[in-house]
C-alpha cells in the first residue's frame, strides 16, 4: 500500500516512513469545506495505511499548521474514535507534536489528549 | 474595516455584507493590528482572540440570515484588562436558542468537562461539529454570552485577562495534567 497524500491549495500533509514508523506533517490552513472533505478522505487513508503496516504508533505534527477550524478539528476526533473502537491489539498510538509557541495548537492537542487518553501522547 | 472611539475605549468593526465562507480568510488578518501593542496583547491572547473571531464568524456565516454580519473587537474603558470579540447577525429564533443553550451548558459546568462531553456527542454525529463555541470557552478560556433582540443575535466572547508576553495564559496546556484512566 502506497503512502497517502494530501495536497490542496490551502492544506497539505507530508507523509514519511522511517524506522520509527509513519509521520504526518500538516501544513497550511484547515478551515474550508474543501479542506475538511480532503482531510476526511486523507485521514481514512492514513488509518488504513497504519493498519496495513501494523503500526504501533504514528506521529502527527501540527507545527507548521497555521489554523484549524472546529469542523476540520472534528475529523481528528473521528480518527481517534475510529481507532479507539477497535480491539486493543489492533490499535496504535498517536503522538501529536505542536509548535510550543502557538497557543491554539497546545490547547487543541491537549483537548485531543484528554479525549483519547489511552491513545494520544503529546510530544 | 472601521475604527472609532465611542463610550468604549476602542471599537474595531469588520462588516461582511454577504455571508460567504470564503470571506473567513479575512478574519485572522483583522486582528493582526494588535501586534502593534505587544505590551498589552501577547501572542497567547492574540491566538485566543483570533480563534474566537474565526469560530464566531464561521457560525454567523453558516447560521445567519441574509443582510450580512458584523465582527467587532471592543476594549471597554471600565474593564481595561479585558477585550471583547462580538459577532452580530440576523438569526432565526431556533438558531439563537441553540446558541443560547450551548452557552448556558458551558456556564453551568466546567467548560473543559462540557467540551469533552460535546466532543463525544459530535463524534457520534455525521454532520456538523457543534464545537466552535466549545473551543472558544474551553481552549481559549473566553467567557461567552448571547443576546437575541429584534431578530439580531449577538454573541460575545470576553477575554478573562489581558495578558502580556511575559504572563502565562489562562491555562498552560504544555504543563496540564492529563488523566489517562478515562477513554473516549
Amino acid at each position: 500500500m502506497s503512502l497517502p497524500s494530501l495536497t490542496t491549495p490551502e492544506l497539505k500533509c507530508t507523509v514519511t516512513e522511517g524506522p520509527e514508523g509513519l509521520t504526518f506533517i500538516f501544513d497550511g490552513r484547515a478551515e474550508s469545506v474543501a479542506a475538511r472533505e480532503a482531510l476526511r478522505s486523507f485521514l481514512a487513508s492514513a488509518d488504513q495505511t497504519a493498519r496495513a503496516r501494523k503500526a504501533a504508533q504514528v506521529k502527527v505534527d501540527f507545527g507548521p499548521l497555521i489554523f484549524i477550524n472546529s469542523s476540520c478539528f472534528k475529523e481528528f476526533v473521528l480518527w481517534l474514535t475510529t481507532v479507539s473502537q477497535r480491539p486493543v491489539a489492533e490499535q496504535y498510538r498517536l503522538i501529536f507534536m505542536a509548535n510550543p509557541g502557538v497557543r491554539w495548537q497546545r490547547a487543541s492537542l491537549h483537548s485531543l489528549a484528554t479525549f483519547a487518553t489511552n491513545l494520544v501522547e503529546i510530544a | 474595516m472601521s475604527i472609532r472611539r465611542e463610550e468604549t475605549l476602542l471599537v474595531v468593526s469588520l462588516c461582511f455584507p454577504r455571508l460567504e465562507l470564503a470571506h473567513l480568510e479575512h478574519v485572522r488578518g483583522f486582528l493582526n493590528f494588535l501586534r502593534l501593542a505587544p505590551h498589552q496583547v501577547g501572542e497567547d491572547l492574540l491566538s485566543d482572540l483570533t480563534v474566537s473571531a474565526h469560530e464566531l464568524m464561521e457560525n454567523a456565516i453558516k447560521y445567519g440570515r441574509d443582510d450580512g454580519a458584523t465582527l467587532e473587537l471592543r476594549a471597554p474603558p471600565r474593564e481595561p484588562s479585558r477585550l471583547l470579540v462580538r459577532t452580530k447577525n440576523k438569526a432565526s429564533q431556533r438558531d439563537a436558542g441553540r446558541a443560547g443553550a450551548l452557552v448556558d451548558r458551558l456556564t453551568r459546568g466546567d467548560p473543559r468537562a462540557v467540551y469533552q462531553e460535546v466532543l463525544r456527542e459530535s463524534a457520534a454525529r455525521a454532520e456538523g461539529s457543534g464545537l466552535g463555541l466549545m473551543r472558544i470557552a474551553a481552549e481559549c478560556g473566553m467567557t461567552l454570552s448571547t443576546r437575541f433582540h429584534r431578530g439580531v443575535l449577538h454573541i460575545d466572547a470576553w477575554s478573562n485577562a489581558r495578558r502580556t508576553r511575559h504572563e502565562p495564559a489562562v491555562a498552560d496546556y504544555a504543563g496540564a495534567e492529563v488523566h489517562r484512566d478515562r477513554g473516549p
Side-chain angles (χ1 to χ4, degrees):
Chain A
M1 175 181 258
S2 60
L3 294 178
S5 67
L6 172 63
T7 306
T8 72
E10 59 195 286
L11 176 67
K12 66 176 183 177
C13 182
T14 303
V15 186
T16 60
E17 187 170 27
E20 294 186 348
L22 294 163
T23 300
F24 302 90
I25 304 172
F26 288 89
D27 189 356
R29 295 174 288 115
E31 60 189 7
S32 69
V33 174
R36 178 174 59 79
E37 290 171 353
L39 187 60
R40 175 172 292 191
S41 171
F42 172 78
L43 293 180
S45 298
D47 178 52
Q48 286 176 1
T49 305
R51 290 189 82 186
R53 297 211 176 9
K54 300 189 186 314
Q57 65 176 44
V58 301
K59 291 183 176 175
V60 183
D61 190 354
F62 270 27
L65 197 57
I66 296 168
F67 188 71
I68 187 168
N69 70 354
S70 54
S71 301
C72 291
F73 183 68
K74 177 181 171 177
E75 298 303 323
F76 286 91
V77 174
L78 291 174
W79 186 14
L80 298 181
T81 302
T82 299
V83 177
S84 72
Q85 288 173 343
R86 292 190 186 121
V88 172
E90 297 174 27
Q91 294 177 359
Y92 51 86
R93 291 187 62 74
L94 294 102
I95 302 171
F96 283 88
M97 292 168 280
N99 178 342
V102 179
R103 174 172 158 81
W104 73 260
Q105 289 190 9
R106 300 196 309 270
S108 292
L109 294 190
H110 180 267
S111 298
L112 290 181
T114 307
F115 177 73
T117 51
N118 298 318
L119 290 180
V120 172
E121 183 179 320
I122 301 175
Chain B
M1 185 167 83
S2 64
I3 302 176
R4 65 184 189 277
R5 287 178 183 279
E6 305 183 326
E7 74 283 1
T8 52
L9 183 64
L10 177 70
V11 181
V12 186
S13 302
L14 185 61
C15 296
F16 292 76
R18 293 191 308 279
L19 299 180
E20 295 179 9
L21 285 170
H23 294 162
L24 276 173
E25 66 184 74
H26 303 296
V27 170
R28 281 193 309 280
F30 165 65
L31 295 174
N32 273 343
F33 75 94
L34 291 171
R35 286 201 164 90
L36 298 172
H39 299 297
Q40 276 76 42
V41 183
E43 286 295 327
D44 281 0
L45 177 53
L46 183 57
S47 174
D48 291 340
L49 295 171
T50 302
V51 171
S52 301
H54 191 104
E55 294 290 359
L56 289 181
M57 210 52 228
E58 186 168 341
N59 279 350
I61 290 172
K62 282 180 177 173
Y63 304 113
R65 290 182 164 174
D66 287 341
D67 297 326
T70 302
L71 173 66
E72 292 181 353
L73 175 75
R74 287 174 172 257
R78 294 194 181 93
E79 297 185 84
S81 64
R82 304 180 78 194
L83 289 171
L84 168 66
V85 176
R86 170 181 289 165
T87 49
K88 292 190 288 190
N89 58 276
K90 286 194 174 175
S92 68
Q93 184 105 33
R94 179 171 170 269
D95 285 335
R98 287 175 58 195
L102 277 172
V103 171
D104 282 348
R105 187 174 173 185
L106 279 163
T107 52
R108 279 200 305 269
D110 172 5
R112 291 195 204 179
V114 174
Y115 184 35
Q116 290 296 318
E117 291 170 12
V118 175
L119 282 173
R120 291 180 182 86
E121 294 166 8
S122 181
R125 265 202 319 269
E127 292 301 324
S129 79
L131 301 178
L133 293 178
M134 298 291 145
R135 279 185 97 193
I136 294 170
E139 294 187 2
C140 303
M142 307 281 280
T143 301
L144 288 165
S145 63
T146 65
R147 185 162 62 95
F148 189 54
H149 182 62
R150 294 186 176 176
V152 177
L153 175 64
H154 296 63
I155 303 186
D156 290 355
W158 285 96
S159 70
N160 286 317
R162 183 179 293 178
R163 298 184 296 276
T164 71
R165 290 181 189 283
H166 307 295
E167 293 176 85
V170 170
D172 180 358
Y173 290 95
E177 182 181 0
V178 176
H179 298 284
R180 294 205 166 273
D181 56 344
R182 290 179 297 155

